[in-house]
Amino acid sequence: MQSETRNCQNCKKDFTIESDDFGFYEKIKVPPPTFCPDCRSQRRLAWRNTYNLYNRSCDLCGKSTLSIYKPDSDLVVYCVKCFWNDNWDPYKYGQDFDPNKSFFEQYMELNHKVPKIALMNDDGISSMNSPYCHDVAFSKNCYMTFISWKLESVMYSCFLNEGRELCDCLGAYDFNEFMYESILIDKCYKCRYVIYGNSLQNCDFCYDCRDCSDCFMSFGLRSKRYYFRNKQYSKEEYEDILKSYALNTFTGWQRAEKEFKEFILKYPRRFAMFRNCLNCTGNDLIEAKHTRDSFFAPFSEESRFVYNGVKFKDCYDLSGGGEVEYSYEAATPDQSYNNLFSIYSWKDKDIAYCDNCHSCNNIFGCASVKKGEYVILNKRYTKEEYFKLKNEIIELMKKTKEWGEFFPARMSYFNYNETEALSMFPLTQSEAEARGLKWQNDFKRTVGKETMSQENIPDDINDVVEDIINEVLVCGSCDRNFKITNQELLFYKRMQVPLPRNCFFCRNDRRMKSRNPLKLWHRKCMKERCSNEFETSYSLDRPEIVYCESCYQKEIY
């Protein structure tokens, strides 16, 4: 088919469906979308509360647990341990499909009865000692880490793919070790404040540097050592410069951060961060092929509109996930094949419209089912019965225009301002409520309980004593109280970095805002006498100098 321009039923703006897109939709047997790409993403993210965590009691064992669901919600919520054990039966909630009611209505009726896992976490199954993590798998000894997997001893981080001993990091492509306050890193070791780092060792405050060691406050270096502000020094001179900044102190760290941000603005930015990619558009891609309009999706192939995950193959419209194939319109469908319109459902094959279903084959409209097969609305069927009823439901969904659409945002368990949608697609309370979305006015946070003021926190990490873990600190930005854990303190001392003055949520928000948006703009290269044009995540009103690939390559060192 030829490309078509259609009007989004949500925002009423025109969007284009390319000929290749029609081929994909035909292959997975779903109708072309009626929402534009942004509205599809917003709808999925309205079902993801990633960072707002609450204390509540497990509805099975009664013990206190941390959860993404508010304690006053009408949902049944089990702690991670209870959810994964066999002491309860998800099939007892099974219900017959009623052809006189809409599918979404019946599904939400079921979903409010079936127990949910407090945090999407496989602690005690494939992970170990990582109870305070959400959307994390195959990890060990991790704390307050989100949307990541295959980690060990990682704290306060997000969007990581493999690594150990990381803290305050955002986006890791491949194995990294002993990294602090770094963004979009790959195969780095013992670095502090690195952005777009690849194969670095002992580097600090570096941007888009590769195969370097012992470099400080530099931009665009390749295979260098003992560089400061992009100039070569002797080993002794370099060490004296680094020592003079005293990065082990808060005052020294602040000075370096301020100078670094001013320094890198002088250099041109690459239109997109691609490495070993073929026919791709988007940003933050490594070894990707024919992957378009996608962001932080390394090692992906033949995919479009995917982001914040790894190894997508023949996938469209995924928000998070890893090692996924032939899937569409889903949130974190890890290690799945043909996973359609699902939420937090891992290791599945041939499933659709499911939430928290794991290691299943051929299930439809299910919630919290594990190792299920031929199940619809949590009721088991024979193989023949399953396919017959599934086809009947799809035909009815086509008539109600539900088939091919993700769950409506207005049906989400979460308030709009609890979800990831708010940061990517900001709405005011009145705007959200006008769209039928819920809004939360009272976020209960611990404040006013501090036992140590900001002024009394030692400037030098080497002056911090172990008793600090017993103190309650206060965030310098939002006044939220927070504490330093023993694991955290040992990391700061080993990495020789000062104690943070802000809580994790403010630190993470700052890192998230430092990333380019997950959108593209058409621009021209800003190099004089260059006529190249490209799609880039740098909008026209940004202060950075943006170059095409060939012009940028001429500028790096």
Side-chain angles (χ1 to χ4, degrees), residues 522-527 529-534 546-551:
H522 190 80
R523 290 187 63 167
K524 294 182 178 180
C525 179
M526 295 175 70
K527 179 73 171 179
R529 291 188 294 276
C530 180
S531 60
N532 287 338
E533 299 183 13
F534 42 72
V546 183
Y547 279 9
C548 67
E549 180 70 14
S550 59
C551 290

PDB file of all heavy atoms in Angstrom, residues 522-527 529-534 546-551:
ATOM      1  N   HIS A 522      12.886  18.447  11.818  1.00  0.00           N
ATOM      2  CA  HIS A 522      13.671  18.529  10.585  1.00  0.00           C
ATOM      3  C   HIS A 522      14.521  19.794  10.642  1.00  0.00           C
ATOM      4  O   HIS A 522      14.006  20.888  10.852  1.00  0.00           O
ATOM      5  CB  HIS A 522      12.760  18.560   9.360  1.00  0.00           C
ATOM      6  CG  HIS A 522      13.503  18.407   8.071  1.00  0.00           C
ATOM      7  ND1 HIS A 522      13.920  17.183   7.605  1.00  0.00           N
ATOM      8  CD2 HIS A 522      13.936  19.329   7.169  1.00  0.00           C
ATOM      9  CE1 HIS A 522      14.558  17.347   6.459  1.00  0.00           C
ATOM     10  NE2 HIS A 522      14.593  18.644   6.168  1.00  0.00           N
ATOM     11  N   ARG A 523      15.845  19.633  10.461  1.00  0.00           N
ATOM     12  CA  ARG A 523      16.759  20.770  10.553  1.00  0.00           C
ATOM     13  C   ARG A 523      17.848  20.671   9.501  1.00  0.00           C
ATOM     14  O   ARG A 523      18.076  19.611   8.907  1.00  0.00           O
ATOM     15  CB  ARG A 523      17.419  20.833  11.945  1.00  0.00           C
ATOM     16  CG  ARG A 523      16.481  21.217  13.055  1.00  0.00           C
ATOM     17  CD  ARG A 523      17.216  21.414  14.358  1.00  0.00           C
ATOM     18  NE  ARG A 523      18.181  22.510  14.284  1.00  0.00           N
ATOM     19  CZ  ARG A 523      18.776  23.044  15.347  1.00  0.00           C
ATOM     20  NH1 ARG A 523      18.493  22.588  16.562  1.00  0.00           N
ATOM     21  NH2 ARG A 523      19.631  24.026  15.229  1.00  0.00           N
ATOM     22  N   LYS A 524      18.557  21.784   9.336  1.00  0.00           N
ATOM     23  CA  LYS A 524      19.730  21.835   8.476  1.00  0.00           C
ATOM     24  C   LYS A 524      20.979  21.888   9.340  1.00  0.00           C
ATOM     25  O   LYS A 524      20.956  22.398  10.463  1.00  0.00           O
ATOM     26  CB  LYS A 524      19.676  23.069   7.572  1.00  0.00           C
ATOM     27  CG  LYS A 524      18.550  23.054   6.548  1.00  0.00           C
ATOM     28  CD  LYS A 524      18.606  24.294   5.664  1.00  0.00           C
ATOM     29  CE  LYS A 524      17.505  24.261   4.615  1.00  0.00           C
ATOM     30  NZ  LYS A 524      17.540  25.473   3.740  1.00  0.00           N
ATOM     31  N   CYS A 525      22.059  21.387   8.799  1.00  0.00           N
ATOM     32  CA  CYS A 525      23.346  21.458   9.483  1.00  0.00           C
ATOM     33  C   CYS A 525      23.730  22.924   9.692  1.00  0.00           C
ATOM     34  O   CYS A 525      23.563  23.765   8.796  1.00  0.00           O
ATOM     35  CB  CYS A 525      24.412  20.744   8.666  1.00  0.00           C
ATOM     36  SG  CYS A 525      26.067  20.783   9.406  1.00  0.00           S
ATOM     37  N   MET A 526      24.260  23.235  10.879  1.00  0.00           N
ATOM     38  CA  MET A 526      24.604  24.609  11.209  1.00  0.00           C
ATOM     39  C   MET A 526      26.048  24.962  10.821  1.00  0.00           C
ATOM     40  O   MET A 526      26.498  26.088  11.050  1.00  0.00           O
ATOM     41  CB  MET A 526      24.393  24.856  12.703  1.00  0.00           C
ATOM     42  CG  MET A 526      22.931  24.738  13.121  1.00  0.00           C
ATOM     43  SD  MET A 526      22.655  24.894  14.908  1.00  0.00           S
ATOM     44  CE  MET A 526      23.020  26.645  15.138  1.00  0.00           C
ATOM     45  N   LYS A 527      26.760  24.000  10.241  1.00  0.00           N
ATOM     46  CA  LYS A 527      28.103  24.285   9.755  1.00  0.00           C
ATOM     47  C   LYS A 527      27.999  25.175   8.515  1.00  0.00           C
ATOM     48  O   LYS A 527      27.209  24.913   7.605  1.00  0.00           O
ATOM     49  CB  LYS A 527      28.814  22.976   9.394  1.00  0.00           C
ATOM     50  CG  LYS A 527      30.221  23.146   8.855  1.00  0.00           C
ATOM     51  CD  LYS A 527      31.223  23.538   9.928  1.00  0.00           C
ATOM     52  CE  LYS A 527      32.647  23.489   9.389  1.00  0.00           C
ATOM     53  NZ  LYS A 527      33.644  23.880  10.397  1.00  0.00           N
ATOM     54  N   ARG A 529      28.280  26.727   5.051  1.00  0.00           N
ATOM     55  CA  ARG A 529      28.382  26.195   3.691  1.00  0.00           C
ATOM     56  C   ARG A 529      28.032  24.699   3.587  1.00  0.00           C
ATOM     57  O   ARG A 529      28.334  24.061   2.598  1.00  0.00           O
ATOM     58  CB  ARG A 529      29.786  26.438   3.107  1.00  0.00           C
ATOM     59  CG  ARG A 529      30.062  27.912   2.824  1.00  0.00           C
ATOM     60  CD  ARG A 529      31.358  28.089   2.069  1.00  0.00           C
ATOM     61  NE  ARG A 529      32.517  27.704   2.857  1.00  0.00           N
ATOM     62  CZ  ARG A 529      33.119  28.502   3.726  1.00  0.00           C
ATOM     63  NH1 ARG A 529      32.690  29.721   3.921  1.00  0.00           N
ATOM     64  NH2 ARG A 529      34.178  28.082   4.394  1.00  0.00           N
ATOM     65  N   CYS A 530      27.391  24.163   4.611  1.00  0.00           N
ATOM     66  CA  CYS A 530      26.906  22.777   4.517  1.00  0.00           C
ATOM     67  C   CYS A 530      25.400  22.805   4.270  1.00  0.00           C
ATOM     68  O   CYS A 530      24.662  23.521   4.948  1.00  0.00           O
ATOM     69  CB  CYS A 530      27.199  21.993   5.796  1.00  0.00           C
ATOM     70  SG  CYS A 530      26.610  20.274   5.719  1.00  0.00           S
ATOM     71  N   SER A 531      24.931  22.031   3.319  1.00  0.00           N
ATOM     72  CA  SER A 531      23.508  22.020   2.953  1.00  0.00           C
ATOM     73  C   SER A 531      22.785  20.759   3.420  1.00  0.00           C
ATOM     74  O   SER A 531      21.620  20.546   3.084  1.00  0.00           O
ATOM     75  CB  SER A 531      23.361  22.151   1.435  1.00  0.00           C
ATOM     76  OG  SER A 531      24.019  21.068   0.778  1.00  0.00           O
ATOM     77  N   ASN A 532      23.456  19.902   4.198  1.00  0.00           N
ATOM     78  CA  ASN A 532      22.831  18.653   4.635  1.00  0.00           C
ATOM     79  C   ASN A 532      21.641  18.914   5.559  1.00  0.00           C
ATOM     80  O   ASN A 532      21.684  19.824   6.403  1.00  0.00           O
ATOM     81  CB  ASN A 532      23.844  17.771   5.360  1.00  0.00           C
ATOM     82  CG  ASN A 532      24.856  17.154   4.415  1.00  0.00           C
ATOM     83  OD1 ASN A 532      24.589  17.038   3.220  1.00  0.00           O
ATOM     84  ND2 ASN A 532      26.008  16.756   4.931  1.00  0.00           N
ATOM     85  N   GLU A 533      20.607  18.084   5.408  1.00  0.00           N
ATOM     86  CA  GLU A 533      19.431  18.156   6.261  1.00  0.00           C
ATOM     87  C   GLU A 533      19.221  16.814   6.952  1.00  0.00           C
ATOM     88  O   GLU A 533      19.687  15.778   6.469  1.00  0.00           O
ATOM     89  CB  GLU A 533      18.192  18.528   5.436  1.00  0.00           C
ATOM     90  CG  GLU A 533      18.311  19.884   4.761  1.00  0.00           C
ATOM     91  CD  GLU A 533      17.050  20.272   4.020  1.00  0.00           C
ATOM     92  OE1 GLU A 533      16.001  19.606   4.229  1.00  0.00           O
ATOM     93  OE2 GLU A 533      17.096  21.243   3.231  1.00  0.00           O
ATOM     94  N   PHE A 534      18.520  16.839   8.062  1.00  0.00           N
ATOM     95  CA  PHE A 534      18.364  15.613   8.840  1.00  0.00           C
ATOM     96  C   PHE A 534      17.198  15.744   9.812  1.00  0.00           C
ATOM     97  O   PHE A 534      16.659  16.821  10.034  1.00  0.00           O
ATOM     98  CB  PHE A 534      19.649  15.307   9.619  1.00  0.00           C
ATOM     99  CG  PHE A 534      20.278  16.522  10.261  1.00  0.00           C
ATOM    100  CD1 PHE A 534      19.700  17.134  11.367  1.00  0.00           C
ATOM    101  CD2 PHE A 534      21.451  17.068   9.743  1.00  0.00           C
ATOM    102  CE1 PHE A 534      20.267  18.249  11.953  1.00  0.00           C
ATOM    103  CE2 PHE A 534      22.029  18.190  10.324  1.00  0.00           C
ATOM    104  CZ  PHE A 534      21.439  18.779  11.435  1.00  0.00           C
ATOM    105  N   VAL A 546      24.256  22.358  16.153  1.00  0.00           N
ATOM    106  CA  VAL A 546      23.945  21.002  15.689  1.00  0.00           C
ATOM    107  C   VAL A 546      24.524  20.788  14.290  1.00  0.00           C
ATOM    108  O   VAL A 546      24.231  21.547  13.369  1.00  0.00           O
ATOM    109  CB  VAL A 546      22.430  20.755  15.689  1.00  0.00           C
ATOM    110  CG1 VAL A 546      22.127  19.312  15.287  1.00  0.00           C
ATOM    111  CG2 VAL A 546      21.838  21.051  17.061  1.00  0.00           C
ATOM    112  N   TYR A 547      25.347  19.736  14.154  1.00  0.00           N
ATOM    113  CA  TYR A 547      25.999  19.412  12.884  1.00  0.00           C
ATOM    114  C   TYR A 547      25.488  18.087  12.342  1.00  0.00           C
ATOM    115  O   TYR A 547      25.055  17.195  13.092  1.00  0.00           O
ATOM    116  CB  TYR A 547      27.510  19.287  13.078  1.00  0.00           C
ATOM    117  CG  TYR A 547      28.274  20.595  13.111  1.00  0.00           C
ATOM    118  CD1 TYR A 547      27.628  21.834  13.163  1.00  0.00           C
ATOM    119  CD2 TYR A 547      29.671  20.578  13.105  1.00  0.00           C
ATOM    120  CE1 TYR A 547      28.349  23.012  13.205  1.00  0.00           C
ATOM    121  CE2 TYR A 547      30.399  21.762  13.136  1.00  0.00           C
ATOM    122  CZ  TYR A 547      29.733  22.977  13.202  1.00  0.00           C
ATOM    123  OH  TYR A 547      30.447  24.140  13.251  1.00  0.00           O
ATOM    124  N   CYS A 548      25.595  17.934  11.036  1.00  0.00           N
ATOM    125  CA  CYS A 548      25.337  16.641  10.407  1.00  0.00           C
ATOM    126  C   CYS A 548      26.487  15.692  10.743  1.00  0.00           C
ATOM    127  O   CYS A 548      27.510  16.100  11.316  1.00  0.00           O
ATOM    128  CB  CYS A 548      25.187  16.800   8.904  1.00  0.00           C
ATOM    129  SG  CYS A 548      26.722  17.300   8.068  1.00  0.00           S
ATOM    130  N   GLU A 549      26.349  14.445  10.350  1.00  0.00           N
ATOM    131  CA  GLU A 549      27.351  13.444  10.707  1.00  0.00           C
ATOM    132  C   GLU A 549      28.737  13.782  10.155  1.00  0.00           C
ATOM    133  O   GLU A 549      29.730  13.737  10.881  1.00  0.00           O
ATOM    134  CB  GLU A 549      26.913  12.069  10.194  1.00  0.00           C
ATOM    135  CG  GLU A 549      27.876  10.930  10.509  1.00  0.00           C
ATOM    136  CD  GLU A 549      27.907  10.571  11.975  1.00  0.00           C
ATOM    137  OE1 GLU A 549      27.011  10.993  12.728  1.00  0.00           O
ATOM    138  OE2 GLU A 549      28.846   9.868  12.384  1.00  0.00           O
ATOM    139  N   SER A 550      28.828  14.116   8.878  1.00  0.00           N
ATOM    140  CA  SER A 550      30.145  14.347   8.278  1.00  0.00           C
ATOM    141  C   SER A 550      30.819  15.577   8.877  1.00  0.00           C
ATOM    142  O   SER A 550      32.030  15.568   9.133  1.00  0.00           O
ATOM    143  CB  SER A 550      30.011  14.497   6.762  1.00  0.00           C
ATOM    144  OG  SER A 550      29.157  15.573   6.430  1.00  0.00           O
ATOM    145  N   CYS A 551      30.079  16.634   9.117  1.00  0.00           N
ATOM    146  CA  CYS A 551      30.667  17.839   9.708  1.00  0.00           C
ATOM    147  C   CYS A 551      31.091  17.590  11.152  1.00  0.00           C
ATOM    148  O   CYS A 551      32.129  18.087  11.605  1.00  0.00           O
ATOM    149  CB  CYS A 551      29.691  19.008   9.636  1.00  0.00           C
ATOM    150  SG  CYS A 551      29.420  19.626   7.960  1.00  0.00           S
TER     151      CYS A 551
END
